[in-house]
Amino acid sequence: MQYRQLGRSDIRVSAICLGTMTWGEQNTQEQGLEQMDYALEHGVNFWDTAEMYAVPPRKETYGRTEEIIGNWFKARGKRDKVVLATKVAGPDQRFSYVRDGKPRLNRTHILAAIDASLKRLQTDYVDLYQLHWAERDTNAFGKLAYAPTRDDDGTPLAETLDVLAEVVKSGKARQVGLSNESAWGTMHYLALAEAGRGPRMASIQNAYSLLNRSFEVGLAEVATRERCGLLAYSPLGMGALSGKYLNGAEPAGARLTVWKHFKRYLTPTGVAATAEYVKLGRRHGLDPAQMALAFVTGRPFVTANIIGATTMEQLKSNIASGEIKLSQEVLDGIDAIHKVYTYPCP
Ligand SMILES: NC(=O)c1ccc[n+]([C@@H]2O[C@H](COP(=O)([O-])OP(=O)(O)OC[C@H]3O[C@@H](n4cnc5c(N)ncnc54)[C@H](OP(=O)(O)O)[C@@H]3O)[C@@H](O)[C@H]2O)c1
C-alpha cells in the first residue's frame, strides 16, 4: 500500500481509502465490522464517512454508519491506527430530519454536527472534518456547467472558516477539507486561510472516475499547486465501470438495480463509454473494475481513492487494485476513449 501526505499536514493516508456509506443500509453492521478489520489489516488506514450516511439517505439511517464505526472503535480499541474523516451536511430539501430541518454551514450547525458525529463515532476527534457540499448554488452532483438557480448564497465562506477554526482549536478535528466543491470555492477558502482567516483546507473530495473527469479542467491545477489533493469518490461510477450493468443487465441487489433514481452513471453515453473501457481492460487481461480503480489511484493530483464495496470479494479486489500500475499502452487506450466520450457522467 502506498501512503501519501494529506495536504500540507503531517498525516499520512493510504492511497486507497475505505468508503463506508453502504454500512447501515446495503450492508449490516456485522459486514461493516468485517470490512474495517480486513481493510486495516491490509494497510488501509484512511476511512471516510459522513453524518448523513447510510446511503441513500433517510431519517431512519441518518448517522447509522458513524455509529457502526464507533462500535468498531469500542470493540477493537484501535482509534489511533485510523485516519478518520467525516462530513457535515449542507442544505438539502430532503433533510427535514437533520438539525432544524435546514442544515447549514454556520456556527450553530457545525458545532452541533461535530459533537453529534463524535458521539456516534465514540471518539474525541476526527482527523479530517469535511464540508459535504457547499451552501451556495454551484455545479456539483451531475451538473457539468455552472448555472445557478437561486440567489441565496448562504453562510459566507469566511464565517464557515471561523467555526472550523474553533473546531480545530478545540481539538475535535485535526484537519479540515472540502467536498463537492468548485475551483472558485476551493481557491476562495484557501485564500482566506492564507490571509489568516481559519484553517487551510487539506483536501477536496469530489467525484472522479473514468466516467467523470471534469475535476481535471479547473480543479486538478488547484489540487496540485495548492497541495489540496483530491479524495476521489465513486471511482467505479457506483459500480457501473465493472461492466455489470452492460447490455441492460440488472444484477440482483446491486445499487443501481435497487435504487433506480441513481442515474448519474447509467446515461446512454456513460453506458457506451463503459462498454469501451471494459473492452480495453479485458483486451489487456485486466479486471475492468481494477483497471478503473488503478487509473484513479495513479493520477498525480489524487491523494486517495475512496473505494466502496458491498461484499468481501469486492473489497479484496478493490484494495488489491492499489498495487496495479497501468502500462502506457493501457493509459493511451484510456485517452483514446476519453477523447470520444469526454464527460459522459459529470
Ligand atoms: N462526498 C460525497 O458526496 C460522496 C458521494 C459518494 C460517495 N462518497 C464516498 O466515497 C465512497 C465510495 O463511493 P461509491 O460507493 O459510490 O464508490 P464506487 O466505487 O463508485 O461504487 C461502489 C459500489 O460499486 C459496487 N462495486 C464495488 N466494487 C465492485 C467490483 N469490484 N465489482 C463490481 N461491483 C463493485 C458495489 O455496489 P453493489 O454491490 O451494490 O453493486 C459498491 O458499493 C463512499 O462510501 C463514501 O465514503 C462521497
Side-chain angles (χ1 to χ4, degrees):
M1 182 61 61
Q2 282 181 49
Y3 295 87
R4 298 173 183 172
Q5 220 70 26
L6 180 68
R8 293 183 182 172
S9 79
D10 58 1
I11 299 175
R12 306 249 323 145
V13 297
S14 48
I16 299 287
C17 172
L18 182 63
T20 63
M21 72 184 194
T22 54
W23 311 343
E25 181 68 64
Q26 241 180 316
N27 288 118
T28 61
Q29 163 158 292
E30 199 121 287
Q31 291 167 335
L33 300 180
E34 192 184 1
Q35 288 200 18
M36 286 181 265
D37 285 338
Y38 182 89
L40 193 62
E41 272 165 28
H42 290 81
V44 177
N45 75 341
F46 190 23
W47 303 357
D48 176 70
T49 193
E51 63 163 324
M52 71 162 240
Y53 295 166
V55 160
R58 58 191 176 98
K59 187 176 178 187
E60 294 72 20
T61 58
Y62 166 72
R64 182 64 189 133
T65 308
E66 287 187 333
E67 280 170 5
I68 292 173
I69 297 170
N71 290 338
W72 186 92
F73 286 133
K74 188 167 182 215
R76 310 289 193 266
K78 292 183 183 167
R79 174 65 190 90
D80 61 327
K81 304 283 181 252
V82 176
V83 178
L84 179 63
T86 194
K87 315 182 193 82
V88 52
D92 188 305
Q93 289 163 350
R94 294 169 301 172
F95 291 167
S96 56
Y97 51 88
V98 181
R99 287 181 285 286
D100 63 4
K102 285 195 182 118
R104 308 203 41 180
L105 301 176
N106 63 19
R107 187 167 189 278
T108 314
H109 283 252
I110 290 180
L111 294 183
I114 181 83
D115 283 346
S117 282
L118 292 176
K119 194 163 174 220
R120 288 188 290 265
L121 289 162
Q122 305 197 43
T123 181
D124 299 334
Y125 71 98
V126 293
D127 298 277
L128 178 66
Y129 198 48
Q130 305 160 106
L131 307 176
H132 205 152
W133 57 88
E135 206 175 307
R136 61 180 206 285
D137 223 358
T138 184
N139 42 331
F141 298 122
K143 271 202 261 172
L144 181 63
Y146 175 63
T149 54
R150 57 189 161 88
D151 297 331
D152 176 16
D153 278 348
T155 310
L157 307 194
E159 268 182 53
T160 300
L161 272 181
D162 288 344
V163 194
L164 293 177
E166 268 184 68
V167 171
V168 171
K169 198 165 171 222
S170 67
K172 293 176 184 174
R174 293 172 72 196
Q175 294 290 323
V176 293
L178 296 166
S179 180
N180 297 299
E181 251 305 351
S182 68
W184 181 87
T186 308
M187 279 311 301
H188 210 85
Y189 275 116
L190 292 169
L192 283 163
E194 218 120 282
R197 191 92 187 247
R200 194 172 206 282
M201 295 297 176
S203 53
I204 169 166
Q205 180 177 147
N206 277 18
Y208 183 75
S209 69
L210 287 173
L211 292 175
N212 178 7
R213 294 173 56 175
S214 53
F215 190 90
E216 291 170 20
V217 181
L219 276 161
E221 181 179 6
V222 174
T224 307
R225 289 189 191 278
E226 300 294 330
R227 288 180 61 197
C228 180
L230 172 62
L231 310 181
Y233 79 71
S234 294
L236 288 180
M238 298 191 173
L241 280 161
S242 67
K244 66 184 173 188
Y245 299 99
L246 288 177
N247 305 312
E250 295 195 340
R255 190 187 304 173
L256 305 184
T257 305
V258 179
W259 292 288
K260 301 276 186 229
H261 66 279
F262 285 141
K263 295 190 167 89
R264 191 169 175 179
Y265 299 102
L266 290 183
T267 59
T269 40
V271 172
T274 298
E276 293 303 316
Y277 287 121
V278 167
K279 253 193 273 170
L280 174 75
R282 296 217 169 109
R283 208 163 52 235
H284 289 273
L286 293 165
D287 169 68
Q290 286 196 323
M291 180 187 84
L293 292 176
F295 173 76
V296 171
T297 311
R299 306 298 281 165
F301 47 82
V302 167
T303 297
N305 180 0
I306 315 177
I307 58 155
T310 59
T311 66
M312 287 306 291
E313 195 191 348
Q314 290 175 2
L315 185 72
K316 288 175 186 175
S317 172
N318 298 353
I319 291 176
S321 76
E323 305 304 322
I324 297 173
K325 192 173 181 304
L326 298 179
S327 67
Q328 195 52 51
E329 221 183 331
V330 172
L331 292 171
D332 291 345
I334 286 174
D335 264 0
I337 299 168
H338 180 56
K339 280 203 175 76
V340 180
Y341 300 101
T342 308
Y343 301 113
C345 309

